[in-house]
Amino acid sequence: MSRPPFPPFTEEAAVRKIRAAEDGWNGRDPAKVALAYTPDSKWRNRSEFITGRSEIEAFLTRKWEKELAYRLIKELWAFTDNRIAVRFAYEWHDAKGDWCRSYGNENWEFDEAGLMQTRHASINDLQISEADRKFHWPQGRRPDDHPGLTELGL
């Protein structure tokens, strides 16, 4: 199994890789998203440590059961051979309807087949009002003409 683009990354390839990840996570299909990672992928997500696709799938299932109306934007921060640094923000609400914007950074490392083998994520949550939301596209893939993080001042 492989997932282009492959390392070593150019800036254009890193941006494509990031957009593919964003699209996958916005699709909110844990089984499909887990296939972008190596079978033994290692994650640190906030204070949780996750290993392998089955744990990734279980984590994402729990996440999207809690984080409703999830919409994510990712943006390139830096890249080198087989590593990409990403900054991101996503908006969601809980079961009570309280809105939140979560901000963070991720460090990714890929194998030669383009599968992510390591993911370190640091994330902070900010409670927002519904009026403060900035991500208003229909559930799913962010439209190509929707502003990114920099354009939104985030």
Side-chain angles (χ1 to χ4, degrees):
M1 179 173 191
S2 64
R3 183 76 54 122
F6 308 111
F9 296 115
T10 63
E11 182 174 1
E12 178 186 346
V15 168
R16 282 197 333 264
K17 195 69 146 177
I18 292 164
R19 183 57 191 247
E22 176 188 312
D23 291 349
W25 282 59
N26 278 330
R28 298 181 314 145
D29 181 338
K32 186 175 178 182
V33 171
L35 293 176
Y37 302 90
T38 61
D40 60 349
S41 184
K42 296 195 182 320
W43 285 20
R44 182 191 47 76
N45 194 88
R46 299 180 193 248
S47 61
E48 193 168 350
F49 294 84
I50 301 160
T51 302
R53 287 184 180 152
S54 63
E55 288 185 21
I56 290 169
E57 188 173 339
F59 167 82
L60 293 172
T61 298
R62 288 190 317 273
K63 173 184 182 63
W64 291 323
E65 286 173 351
K66 174 189 168 207
E67 297 176 353
L68 307 173
Y70 179 94
R71 288 170 178 78
L72 166 72
I73 299 176
K74 292 182 180 279
E75 188 172 277
L76 175 66
W77 186 254
F79 72 95
T80 188
D81 301 324
N82 70 331
R83 293 180 175 175
I84 300 175
V86 176
R87 68 187 201 93
F88 64 87
Y90 61 92
E91 294 179 350
W92 56 279
H93 68 80
D94 63 18
K96 296 183 297 184
D98 293 329
W99 282 93
C100 191
R101 184 177 304 121
S102 299
Y103 298 94
N105 299 294
E106 295 176 321
N107 295 315
W108 300 345
E109 183 178 52
F110 295 87
D111 71 5
E112 62 282 345
L115 298 173
M116 194 181 303
Q117 59 192 12
T118 308
R119 174 182 174 268
H120 298 285
S122 297
I123 307 167
N124 299 299
D125 300 319
L126 175 67
Q127 199 154 18
I128 60 172
S129 70
E130 188 167 0
D132 289 332
R133 291 181 54 221
K134 295 180 181 271
F135 304 172
H136 294 284
W137 66 87
Q139 196 71 60
R141 185 179 193 277
R142 176 173 55 103
D144 290 335
D145 62 349
H146 190 283
L149 297 177
T150 299
E151 293 83 9
L152 290 168
L154 299 175

